[in-house]
Amino acid sequence: MNLGPGQEFDRIRAMLARIAEISGDHVSDIGDDCALLPLGSTTLAISIDNSLENVHFRTDWLDFKEIGCRAAGAALADLAAEGAKPLGLMVSLGAPPNEQGGSDPAAEIMAGVATLAHKLDARVLGGDLTRSDKYVIDVCVIGTAERPVRRSGAHEGDSLWVTGYLGGAALALDQFRAGKHMPAALRNRYACPEPRIEAGRWLAGHGASAMIDISDGLVSDAQHLAAASEVGIEIHLERIPCWEGVEATAAVASGEEFELLCTMPPTFGETSVSEFRAQTGLQLSRIGSCLRGAGGRRGGVRLLDHNAAVPLPAGYDHFAR
Amino acid sequence: MNLGPGQEFDRIRAMLARIAEISGDHVSDIGDDCALLPLGSTTLAISIDNSLENVHFRTDWLDFKEIGCRAAGAALADLAAEGAKPLGLMVSLGAPPNEQGGSDPAAEIMAGVATLAHKLDARVLGGDLTRSDKYVIDVCVIGTAERPVRRSGAHEGDSLWVTGYLGGAALALDQFRAGKHMPAALRNRYACPEPRIEAGRWLAGHGASAMIDISDGLVSDAQHLAAASEVGIEIHLERIPCWEGVEATAAVASGEEFELLCTMPPTFGETSVSEFRAQTGLQLSRIGSCLRGAGGRRGGVRLLDHNAAVPLPAGYDHFAR
């Protein structure tokens, strides 16, 4: 198993080593979007995603319903990246006492979770509530995957694709930081991003060889995919589908986009892209290709602007900030 | 659905109401130990349990491996109470940066989780790591139950039973508070309690009508069970199996014991108890019985000492402390 760069991954490696020591079992799935658990005739896909106040969200930027929506979205995006269909989710909520009276922020957070879950045919199955100084929302999602797509299946010669338009999440974050009002579509890129469940299932069903959701930024996530698949990846900056008003160099560094980055076999072409667009209403752009593995932890991602090499942007790493 | 008393439950009720509004779906399982999800020929039992520094544990009392063990134990105890067999667990870990160098507390926490999981034939499936000021360990457990046992199935005439000996967890907590050294067996009642997975499966297989794990204290959890089952419950204080050096009045209020409280049909008798003891190595004590439902949110639990009524101890409620 390979993991990308960053202090967070070093810590995860240390954790994996300790678990393997004790259980004699490699936790091979920890580097992927979901854990997979074969059960009867299906495969369970499971992921857990924690959202912490002042790390993942701020209560002066988002209302509590948006905070719940965003937390659920982050977890469900992992199922999307596996090509899985969500069944339901469990929510662990840490919340301060509700001293103001009036509508309880905890209930509003759950309303946000339930709204997004309902939109994607998933059920809120249960949860846990504990007292906490700050808001903490941990969401565990459970789904099934007929044909799970890992990060590790890309081959030399596969093409690289991305759904939607990138850069809106970072642009919205800038506007929040500057205290500026913004249009609803842009605000929602940050406040309530919609996981690409249908797109993920379509891509899985049409032969995706590897897939990941964009949470650390396109280039960083391409590095994770390249490292796991042991391929090199070449990305063409001029082909990046950018959110209105965002430069391609910013778009490839924008984290928490929740769009899907995937590799498709050489047979996948423009006719299939039209089908995808008609089915999902989303853009699908070919932005690069997989090369022979370059080795090394950065997984050999090259960024090109009209065939001239461009330096890679820094990735998103909670522990390095 | 009925929930017991306390501010925490009032908040949960408000959350359930908001979820039901949005999804048109009653989250009937939130009041139980596990959510149940029928899948193919089996039923998934899922539970999530959050452990927060300074709420559920203190780093000056427990070492990090114990903290991980305790967090995993709390989640697995919910599977035990459902009569379920664990498959695996997902762990969301919030941790401060490891600035001291040396062995990473995050890895030690995971070692504790893995040690307990391994002992109970469960796998660490995956997880999430985020930066946090304080340690937060959220564990989601997934298991299967052939015959899930809810809190709501007790009937008038059923007998009330409890596994093990009670009061050790509260006694250990007192010793920690007083900064006293204690024997390993007592320390582990708090530091690394063992979920009663095998006992839960045995009881489920032998007709348990309702079951709950003791997390809020025997009397409080009996109230939850009584409320969910719409029965009255009578508990005989002199029959409580007490940890050495603990009075029965303290034993029935001791929280986070992780022993099982269950109701069995009238046919369940002493022969079966011997079988249980031989199979699990645990005590099983008949401590009371189910009466006609007394109604009301406190679920009509009566505590008797040699047939004289005794006042109920206060329950354990995170938000009321």
Side-chain angles (χ1 to χ4, degrees):
Chain A
M1 175 177 141
N2 280 308
L3 285 165
Q7 285 181 47
E8 188 172 355
F9 294 110
D10 291 337
R11 298 191 83 178
I12 293 175
R13 276 189 202 91
M15 288 158 67
L16 292 178
R18 288 292 277 137
I19 295 169
E21 248 174 69
I22 288 156
S23 57
D25 191 16
H26 288 283
V27 191
S28 55
D29 297 332
I30 281 194
D32 219 282
D33 296 291
C34 290
L36 295 178
L37 192 60
L39 187 71
S41 60
T42 188
T43 299
L44 290 180
I46 311 166
S47 184
I48 195 162
D49 230 308
N50 211 349
S51 295
L52 284 82
E53 186 178 347
N54 299 341
V55 178
H56 298 91
F57 63 85
R58 291 176 50 162
T59 57
D60 53 343
W61 290 356
L62 304 185
D63 66 35
F64 287 104
K65 203 172 160 190
E66 287 172 334
I67 288 167
C69 181
R70 187 169 156 76
L76 285 158
D78 289 328
L79 287 189
E82 204 74 37
K85 172 183 155 59
L87 294 172
L89 38 85
M90 301 290 287
V91 183
S92 215
L93 186 57
N98 181 26
E99 276 155 359
Q100 285 99 42
S103 89
D104 185 351
E108 289 311 299
I109 289 172
M110 290 309 296
V113 170
T115 301
L116 187 64
H118 188 59
K119 201 187 270 186
L120 299 171
D121 278 333
R123 284 181 59 207
V124 180
L125 299 171
D128 185 31
L129 175 67
T130 41
R131 191 183 54 171
S132 165
D133 294 338
K134 295 207 170 70
Y135 289 96
V136 185
I137 308 141
D138 197 27
V139 180
C140 184
V141 288
I142 295 135
T144 52
E146 297 310 305
R147 186 186 166 282
V149 184
R150 316 309 321 246
R151 299 178 177 185
S152 54
H155 295 103
E156 185 184 345
D158 287 353
S159 49
L160 184 73
W161 302 77
V162 69
T163 63
Y165 295 90
L166 302 177
L171 180 59
L173 191 56
D174 287 343
Q175 304 289 303
F176 277 117
R177 284 197 174 120
K180 288 190 188 156
H181 187 76
M182 64 193 111
L186 180 59
R187 180 184 176 91
N188 281 339
R189 281 303 285 191
Y190 183 86
C192 196
E194 195 169 316
R196 301 308 189 193
I197 295 289
E198 194 187 0
R201 295 181 68 195
W202 191 96
L203 292 163
H206 288 75
S209 49
M211 192 150 56
I212 190 170
D213 70 297
I214 297 179
S215 53
D216 296 345
L218 172 67
V219 167
S220 291
D221 289 309
Q223 286 174 336
H224 302 328
L225 195 152
S229 294
E230 299 179 357
V231 295
I233 284 183
E234 203 167 68
I235 298 172
H236 299 277
L237 206 52
E238 72 276 14
R239 294 196 198 159
I240 301 295
C242 296
W243 191 271
E244 202 188 326
V246 178
E247 298 286 328
T249 46
V252 297
S254 175
E256 300 183 332
E257 290 281 345
F258 303 129
E259 296 292 348
L260 298 176
L261 178 69
C262 70
T263 56
M264 302 298 289
T267 51
F268 187 82
E270 279 308 320
T271 321
S272 311
V273 174
S274 306
E275 265 180 53
F276 174 89
R277 287 179 190 147
Q279 177 82 29
T280 64
L282 292 176
Q283 187 59 264
L284 184 65
S285 309
R286 180 175 177 164
I287 59 166
S289 46
C290 300
L291 312 172
R292 179 174 306 216
R297 280 173 57 195
R298 285 180 78 84
V301 169
R302 292 172 58 195
L303 195 55
L304 303 171
D305 187 3
H306 297 91
N307 295 322
V310 173
L312 300 183
Y316 181 85
D317 181 348
H318 283 304
F319 284 81
R321 284 187 302 176
Chain B
M1 175 179 143
N2 281 307
L3 285 165
Q7 285 180 47
E8 189 173 354
F9 295 111
D10 291 337
R11 298 192 82 178
I12 292 176
R13 277 189 201 91
M15 288 158 65
L16 293 178
R18 289 290 279 139
I19 296 168
E21 248 174 67
I22 289 157
S23 58
D25 192 15
H26 289 282
V27 190
S28 54
D29 297 332
I30 282 194
D32 219 281
D33 296 290
C34 290
L36 295 178
L37 191 62
L39 187 71
S41 60
T42 188
T43 299
L44 291 180
I46 311 165
S47 185
I48 195 161
D49 232 308
N50 211 347
S51 294
L52 284 81
E53 185 178 348
N54 298 341
V55 178
H56 298 90
F57 63 86
R58 291 175 49 160
T59 56
D60 52 343
W61 290 356
L62 303 185
D63 67 35
F64 287 104
K65 203 172 162 189
E66 287 173 332
I67 288 168
C69 180
R70 186 168 155 76
L76 285 158
D78 289 328
L79 287 188
E82 204 75 35
K85 172 183 155 61
L87 293 172
L89 38 85
M90 301 288 289
V91 183
S92 214
L93 186 57
N98 182 26
E99 276 155 358
Q100 285 99 42
S103 88
D104 186 350
E108 288 312 299
I109 289 172
M110 289 310 296
V113 169
T115 301
L116 187 64
H118 189 60
K119 201 187 272 185
L120 299 171
D121 278 334
R123 283 182 58 207
V124 179
L125 298 172
D128 185 33
L129 175 68
T130 41
R131 189 183 54 172
S132 164
D133 295 338
K134 296 206 170 69
Y135 288 96
V136 184
I137 309 140
D138 197 27
V139 181
C140 184
V141 288
I142 295 136
T144 51
E146 298 309 306
R147 185 185 166 283
V149 184
R150 317 311 318 250
R151 298 178 178 186
S152 54
H155 296 103
E156 185 184 344
D158 286 353
S159 48
L160 185 73
W161 302 76
V162 69
T163 63
Y165 295 90
L166 302 177
L171 180 60
L173 191 56
D174 287 343
Q175 305 288 304
F176 277 116
R177 284 197 175 119
K180 287 189 188 156
H181 188 76
M182 63 195 113
L186 180 59
R187 181 184 174 90
N188 280 338
R189 281 303 284 190
Y190 183 87
C192 197
E194 196 171 314
R196 301 307 189 194
I197 295 289
E198 193 187 2
R201 296 181 69 194
W202 191 97
L203 292 163
H206 287 75
S209 50
M211 194 150 58
I212 190 169
D213 70 297
I214 297 180
S215 54
D216 296 344
L218 173 66
V219 167
S220 291
D221 289 309
Q223 287 174 335
H224 302 329
L225 195 153
S229 294
E230 298 180 356
V231 295
I233 284 183
E234 203 167 68
I235 298 171
H236 298 278
L237 207 52
E238 72 276 12
R239 295 197 195 156
I240 301 296
C242 296
W243 191 271
E244 201 188 327
V246 178
E247 297 286 329
T249 47
V252 297
S254 174
E256 301 184 331
E257 289 281 344
F258 302 129
E259 296 292 348
L260 298 175
L261 177 70
C262 69
T263 56
M264 300 300 287
T267 50
F268 187 82
E270 280 308 320
T271 321
S272 311
V273 174
S274 307
E275 264 180 54
F276 174 90
R277 287 178 191 147
Q279 177 81 30
T280 65
L282 293 177
Q283 187 58 265
L284 184 65
S285 308
R286 181 175 176 163
I287 59 166
S289 48
C290 300
L291 313 172
R292 180 174 304 216
R297 279 174 57 195
R298 284 180 79 84
V301 169
R302 292 171 59 195
L303 195 56
L304 303 171
D305 188 2
H306 297 91
N307 295 322
V310 173
L312 300 182
Y316 181 85
D317 180 349
H318 283 303
F319 284 84
R321 285 186 300 177

